[in-house]
């Protein structure tokens, strides 16, 4: 795949295939077909076949893919082997939920440190990640070469935290606060708009019920 | 807007406009232009103008929109006045983060009850929402006419909880567990794939840095 980017829909499907493939029993030689994957995940089999052909050359007619090689090919195409580090700011309920989120561990992005301003939390661990005082951020980020920052603080503190992250050299921000962040041009922001997501579901429901 | 559905991108932008408009000082007569909104949110002004024209007829040349009417029009188009109820299952860190998420309160979807199997939590409140024993779900859902269920339990319990929700008459499921849920055809599932979202950000970063 090299530097070619793939769309969010493909990434979502690939992570879903991966989760399914890892749930299958595998003795190292077992194989699986696009048809079987499509049936198990309620997806269109033409779509699954196309996705897999894009990222793996291991498919054989009437046999399918070796499970273990297909897992490897999907992981490579998703950049799982290209591990990068992230820091998280705000160890409240959301921050703790993100630190304990099992499927992040599979993505190759590792949360290496968390920051909070609550004295009682500082110096403790959450899900194996050390919680540090926010004032230590600049020094630690410089030494760790971290480029991803996750904002899990209340919206009133989000811009201030964002400015701190940018000041520490963070180049990509995953923002869970419902706030529009101002950043320099060379910083990427991905907003996780959970309210919009819930609204879409309720709209679909309304259409279905009407 | 009636029953016409709008795309996720438009919904995301409309919720962003709404948040911005509500942050502006308003004496009931103040107005705002698409140009000003676009500049404040770093968006293309043609896009903002088009979005607003779609959902409001209150725009005037060289003046813009009355802030309070525009807020009303956006809320109507998003279905905020058509409040619906949801229940949440799993009051761990993620569940608590969702219960305390401020921007849900603005969406018109209200989480009315939470369920957990932890005896210590049952009967207590979290952010004003009562936590009940999972066994009470069927009885309570029937009486409350709830149609939306939020799954915030670990992946190993997600399908079981999903089956319970479906059995209780839930027609729309917002799933945070990294699991593919099996549901009947008349039930809508929206998966919140946070791992895919983090991966996309890290891929964008890698492209930017390379």
């Amino acid at each position: 795949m090299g530097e070619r980017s793939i769309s969010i829909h493909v990434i979502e499907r690939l992570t879903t295939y991966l989760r399914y493939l890892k749930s299958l029993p595998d003795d190292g030689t077992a194989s699986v077909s696009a048809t079987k994957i499509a049936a198990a995940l309620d997806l269109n089999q033409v779509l699954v076949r196309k996705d897999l052909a894009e990222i793996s050359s291991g498919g054989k007619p009437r046999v399918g893919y070796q499970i273990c090689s297909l897992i490897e090919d999907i992981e490579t195409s998703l950049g799982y082997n290209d591990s990068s580090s992230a820091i998280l700011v705000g160890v409240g309920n959301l921050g703790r939920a993100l630190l304990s989120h099992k499927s992040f561990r599979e993505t190759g992005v590792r949360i290496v440190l968390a920051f909070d301003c609550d004295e009682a939390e500082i110096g403790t661990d959450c899900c194996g990640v050390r919680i540090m005082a926010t004032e230590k951020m600049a020094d630690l980020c410089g030494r760790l070469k971290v480029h991803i920052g996750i904002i899990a603080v209340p919206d009133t503190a989000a811009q201030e935290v964002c400015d701190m992250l940018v000041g520490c050299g963070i180049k990509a921000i995953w923002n869970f606060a419902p706030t529009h962040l101002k950043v320099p041009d060379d910083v990427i922001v991905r907003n996780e708009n959970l309210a919009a997501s819930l609204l879409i579901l309720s709209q679909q429901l309304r259409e279905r019920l009407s």
Side-chain angles (χ1 to χ4, degrees), chain A:
Chain A
M1 297 289 293
E3 294 307 328
R4 192 153 64 79
S5 66
I6 40 185
S7 82
I8 178 148
H9 300 295
V10 178
I11 289 178
E12 286 189 338
R13 287 200 300 277
L14 289 176
T15 55
T16 309
Y17 302 157
L18 200 55
R19 207 176 290 141
Y20 169 68
L21 291 169
K22 287 186 172 173
S23 76
L24 296 177
D26 182 15
D27 58 2
T29 60
S31 59
V32 66
S33 65
T35 316
K36 188 178 168 188
I37 298 177
L41 300 172
D42 301 318
L43 289 166
N44 179 305
Q45 58 166 285
V46 178
L47 190 69
V48 176
R49 203 176 301 282
K50 188 167 158 282
D51 285 343
L52 298 186
E54 281 274 321
I55 56 98
S56 175
S57 55
K60 284 181 192 149
R62 270 188 288 279
V63 179
Y65 293 82
Q66 273 213 330
I67 295 175
C68 58
S69 336
L70 186 54
I71 288 177
E72 240 182 71
D73 288 342
I74 295 180
E75 289 188 339
T76 305
S77 75
L78 289 172
Y80 279 23
N81 306 324
D82 206 356
S83 171
S84 49
S85 306
I87 55 170
L88 177 141
V89 190
V91 193
N93 288 315
L94 177 64
R96 284 177 186 278
L98 294 173
L99 287 174
S100 63
H101 203 294
K102 277 208 299 199
S103 60
F104 292 166
R105 295 180 204 160
E106 305 165 359
T107 64
V109 179
R110 216 161 51 89
I111 303 177
V112 291
L113 269 183
F115 293 90
D116 204 284
C117 54
D118 181 353
E119 293 285 347
E121 304 287 354
I122 293 165
T124 65
D125 280 11
C126 176
C127 306
V129 178
R130 179 56 55 98
I131 304 169
M132 308 294 287
T134 332
E135 302 85 64
K136 299 260 175 85
M137 199 189 290
D139 177 39
L140 289 164
C141 283
R143 285 196 272 150
L144 288 166
K145 293 206 169 43
V146 179
H147 291 298
I148 300 178
I150 305 172
I151 297 183
V153 299
D155 52 346
T156 46
Q159 184 63 55
E160 190 189 342
V161 166
C162 173
D163 294 343
M164 286 180 74
L165 289 170
V166 170
C168 293
I170 292 293
K171 295 296 177 201
I173 292 175
W174 196 18
N175 176 36
F176 282 84
T179 308
H180 176 75
L181 299 174
K182 293 278 180 192
V183 294
D185 286 344
D186 65 336
V187 175
I188 307 163
V189 176
R190 184 168 178 88
N191 293 301
E192 209 57 47
N193 193 336
L194 294 176
S197 198
L198 179 56
L199 259 172
I200 287 162
L201 182 67
S202 80
Q203 285 202 337
Q204 288 173 329
L205 175 66
R206 230 174 319 134
E207 278 167 34
R208 186 73 71 92
L209 295 177
S210 66

